[in-house]
Structures are given as structure tokens and as C-alpha cells.
Amino acid sequence: MPPDSRTASPTRPMRADARRNYDRILAAAAEAIAEHGAEASLEEIARRAGVGSATLHRHFPSRRRLLEAVFRDKVEALCATAADLAADPDPGHALSTWLRAVARHAVSNRGLATALMQGSHDGDPTLGGTCHSMITSAGADLLHHAREANAARPDVTITDLLKLVNAISLAVEQEPDGADQADRLLTLALTGIHSAAEPAGR
Amino acid sequence: MPPDSRTASPTRPMRADARRNYDRILAAAAEAIAEHGAEASLEEIARRAGVGSATLHRHFPSRRRLLEAVFRDKVEALCATAADLAADPDPGHALSTWLRAVARHAVSNRGLATALMQGSHDGDPTLGGTCHSMITSAGADLLHHAREANAARPDVTITDLLKLVNAISLAVEQEPDGADQADRLLTLALTGIHSAAEPAGR
DNA sequence: GTACGATATGGAGGGCCACCCCGTTTTCGC
DNA sequence: GCGAAAACGGGGTGGCCCTCCATATCGTAC
């Protein structure tokens, strides 16, 4: 969330020092999360950023908000990819390509899967532009097209699919060959146990 | 791990007080984990058991060991189920039935999925009878039969399948309708996105 | 350029936790 | 019973998350 120009309310722009600290914290958080995952110590992030822990908590009242901010641009990129793929003549292929892209991002950015998973079901109902909701609506479109083309069974929801992708990503996040494993598991999940060797995705 | 009669080494039997405390801790842990999941506070477990926290740490040097002990019997039950199903005339059906059973247990016993996931890849290489290895070898047999009957693609491993099941279970563990969701997601994963409505599992 | 109100800061402290040290208590073989 | 060996647990250390509030900094109006 770009700290100035908030949703609708005409908040006055941030003071220069606040802005500076905000950015420093974000950078430090990105580093720390890359190293230690979504559970990285908030105190250490504050330490790295050279600010007091209170400052961190003022800018990001919950770990969730921090994750959201850290991964906002990655999520936007994924949404853009979805928009591109929406024009693909093979909607089934587009959908599975996109899900694969989500998985790839999630395993190479520790913490992303966690950020994508966290719906707004826990307090704090004032979140409209969460990673979760952004990615969900981006994917809903692709699924919609796939369904029309009979490339996805009608009872499956985008929430199901993303839950699957994120669950897989989380599970392999700390394995050394995470990317490979995620890809193989996702393939498995998309095409089923039985099909022999066919790339059934297209 | 039944605290006396350890693997091969002729450890002398536990002292009565140690045994008593061991059992109390196990009972308290089962309660606490059921309430708060795999991350339940060890101090609170000790408190509930009426022992000092040092005693807990002496009996269970890591959270992992505690989880293993708490869920040992559930895991054994799942292994027994696998053994029964190995005789099923339809090995593909047997495999998917078993995986479903694993998922069902995992969602109704908070923390089980976590216990099943933890391989021995983190230090402590002295673990032969972990939940992870027990369940893996139980499932390997089922998968083997399924493969021979051409009911599973040859490139999928039991590790893949269990990772999938546990990832799903973990992901839905805190949702209110976890059992339903796990089942729907597992079905999805086993049969693939595309198949229309057929119960492709058999 | 200065003064002043609004805004932002961070050190200190509280509550919780995992884990360990070591003096004390309990058990068990004799 | 007795004494050595085994087990115990209070309390300490250090980490974590989060909040309070006295202080420092910023932006602006003059």
C-alpha cells in the first residue's frame, strides 16, 4: 500500500522522515523474510532498518500488513500476467500456466504463499486490496474462461485452486529443490494421479 | 516411543516417577495440541501436566519428539488401515481411500499433519520410527500395488502423494469446514481439474 | 529565518515463551 | 533402611511481540 494517496480518504501526505522509515522497514523486511520466511522476527527487521520497534509497529500494525506491503508488487505482477493470459485462445492452458506461475513465484519468494493465503477472515475487516483478494479476482477470470471452454470442471472454484497452489508452495518452501517439487506436485494435482504421461493441461 | 524397551539398546526400564510424569505430559500435550494446534505452548503443557518445564524438556528434547509421541497411536492406526487395504482387489481405489483417510485424520487431529510432514532432515538423524517414515512405508506398498494395476502414473512417488495430502490438510486446518474442504481439494488433486463429474478414483 | 503545533520517534518495560543450570528430592537395588 | 543413581523443578537467560510516553523532528505560516 503506497503510504500516501490512500484508498479514498484524502490523507495528508506522509512526513519525509516517516516516509523514509517506511521505506527502510520495507527493504529490511524483504531481506529478512527472504532469509527466514514469513515468521521472521519483527524486532530484527526493525533493527536492520535502524528504527525502533515501535516505529515498525506504528507503520505496520500487524505482521499481515507488513507481508502485504512487501509482496504487493509481486502480486500485481501476477495479476498482470493473468490479464495477459486472459486473451489466450486456449483458456485451459492459460489457467494452468498461470497457476504454475503463481507457484513459481511462491517458492522463489519465501513468505509470498503465506501472504496469499491470508484471507480477511481474521479481524481487521477494513482490508479491500489484500494480496488474497487481488489474486483471487485475477484468477477468477481465467477460471471463468476455462469453464466456458469446458477445460475445468464446473464445481471447482478459484479459491480451491489457489488454496491448492499455496498449500503446495508452503509445503515445499524449505526443501532445497522446492521449485521442482512444486512443479511436479502441481502437475499431479492439475492432471490427476492416473493419466499416464500426457501433458493433459492443454 | 514407548519409553521403556527402546530400540535395540538395553536401556533399563524407566523409574516409576519418570514414567508417571511422561504419561502426564503426553496427556496434557494431547489436550493442548487439540486446542491450540502444533504450536501449543510447551510451558502450558508442563503446567497442565503439573511438572516443571525442565522435566518436559528432559523427556522430549524437541517439539518434534513430543508430536511424534502424541500421535504415535494414530499413525499406527493409519498404517494398519493401509495394511488392510493392501488386500483390496482394486488397488487404485485402495490407494485413494487410504489417502482420504489420512486427510480425514489430519484435519480432525490438529497437529497430525505437522507431525507427518516432519521428515528427519533437520539434525537429529537418530530417528528411525518417526511418524513420517512409518506412514511413508505404509503408503509405499499401496502405491506399489496401484502402479502394477496401472492405476497410478509411474512417475509419482508416495512422498509426492503424502506431501500433497498433508499440504492440503495444513492449509484447511483452521477453517471451520476443514473436513469438507480437504475432501474436495483432495478429490480435485487425485482426479485432476478437467474430468467432468466422473468419480475417476475407481 | 524563526517559532510553534502537529507528527513521528525509540528506549524502556510488561507479558509470554523456549531452554538450561544445578541444588534438592525421589526411587530402587541391596 | 541406606546410599548411589536418577529424576525433579525453581529460577535465570535471552528472545519475542507489543505499548506507553517523554523527546526529537518536520512543515508551515509569518
Side-chain angles (χ1 to χ4, degrees):
Chain A
M1 186 176 306
D4 44 19
S5 85
R6 216 146 161 158
T7 27
S9 58
T11 319
R12 70 175 54 226
M14 269 183 138
R15 243 172 64 172
D17 53 348
R19 168 102 223 170
R20 182 171 13 96
N21 284 335
Y22 182 97
D23 291 341
R24 279 188 189 165
I25 291 170
L26 221 47
E31 262 184 52
I33 290 173
E35 284 172 29
H36 303 113
E39 306 295 304
S41 154
L42 299 182
E43 291 228 323
E44 194 197 316
I45 291 173
R47 231 176 289 131
R48 283 198 204 201
V51 305
S53 61
T55 299
L56 185 150
H57 286 283
R58 194 171 323 104
H59 283 295
F60 305 98
S62 68
R63 179 182 296 273
R64 173 149 177 257
R65 296 288 271 268
L66 181 56
L67 282 179
E68 301 270 0
V70 165
F71 291 116
R72 165 158 300 260
D73 49 350
K74 312 266 181 200
V75 174
E76 278 167 357
L78 283 171
C79 291
T81 303
D84 290 352
L85 283 168
D88 192 297
D90 181 346
H93 177 238
L95 177 61
S96 68
T97 300
W98 185 69
L99 292 174
R100 230 174 274 280
V102 175
R104 198 167 47 249
H105 276 70
V107 291
S108 60
N109 295 96
R110 297 185 68 176
L112 216 199
T114 306
L116 291 177
M117 284 266 248
Q118 295 173 327
S120 50
H121 52 71
D122 49 282
D124 216 334
T126 65
L127 276 290
T130 64
C131 294
H132 181 80
S133 63
M134 288 171 66
I135 208 87
T136 300
S137 53
D141 231 42
L142 288 177
L143 176 59
H144 187 69
H145 290 146
R147 232 186 240 148
E148 283 181 340
N150 244 319
R153 49 164 88 175
D155 62 324
V156 71
T157 69
I158 186 62
T159 306
D160 290 338
L161 292 177
L162 285 172
K163 220 167 249 172
L164 212 43
V165 170
N166 285 316
I168 290 172
S169 303
L170 268 188
V172 304
E173 195 174 67
Q174 27 207 3
E175 315 268 344
D177 56 339
D180 292 349
Q181 285 203 43
D183 207 69
R184 96 188 268 101
L185 290 178
L186 185 54
T187 301
L188 186 59
L190 294 181
T191 62
I193 287 192
H194 307 93
S195 52
E198 267 210 307
R202 41 165 40 219
Chain B
M1 189 173 306
D4 46 18
S5 84
R6 216 140 158 165
T7 27
S9 58
T11 318
R12 66 176 59 227
M14 268 181 137
R15 248 171 60 171
D17 53 348
R19 168 101 225 172
R20 181 173 11 99
N21 283 335
Y22 183 98
D23 291 342
R24 277 189 192 165
I25 291 171
L26 223 46
E31 262 184 52
I33 289 173
E35 283 172 29
H36 303 113
E39 306 295 302
S41 154
L42 299 182
E43 293 230 321
E44 193 197 317
I45 291 173
R47 229 176 290 129
R48 284 198 204 199
V51 304
S53 61
T55 298
L56 185 150
H57 285 283
R58 196 172 319 107
H59 283 296
F60 305 98
S62 68
R63 181 182 294 274
R64 172 149 176 257
R65 297 287 272 268
L66 181 56
L67 282 180
E68 302 269 1
V70 166
F71 289 117
R72 167 158 298 263
D73 50 348
K74 311 267 182 201
V75 173
E76 279 166 357
L78 283 171
C79 291
T81 304
D84 289 353
L85 283 168
D88 192 298
D90 180 345
H93 177 240
L95 178 60
S96 69
T97 301
W98 185 68
L99 290 174
R100 229 174 274 280
V102 174
R104 198 169 45 249
H105 276 70
V107 292
S108 61
N109 293 98
R110 298 185 67 176
L112 217 199
T114 306
L116 290 177
M117 283 267 249
Q118 294 172 328
S120 50
H121 53 70
D122 50 280
D124 219 335
T126 66
L127 276 290
T130 61
C131 294
H132 181 80
S133 62
M134 288 171 67
I135 209 89
T136 300
S137 53
D141 231 42
L142 287 177
L143 175 57
H144 187 70
H145 291 145
R147 234 187 238 147
E148 283 179 341
N150 243 318
R153 48 163 88 176
D155 62 325
V156 71
T157 69
I158 187 62
T159 307
D160 289 339
L161 292 176
L162 285 171
K163 220 166 250 172
L164 211 43
V165 171
N166 284 317
I168 290 173
S169 303
L170 269 188
V172 304
E173 196 174 67
Q174 27 208 2
E175 315 269 343
D177 56 340
D180 291 350
Q181 285 203 41
D183 208 69
R184 99 188 266 102
L185 289 178
L186 186 53
T187 301
L188 186 58
L190 294 181
T191 62
I193 287 191
H194 307 93
S195 53
E198 266 208 308
R202 37 167 39 211

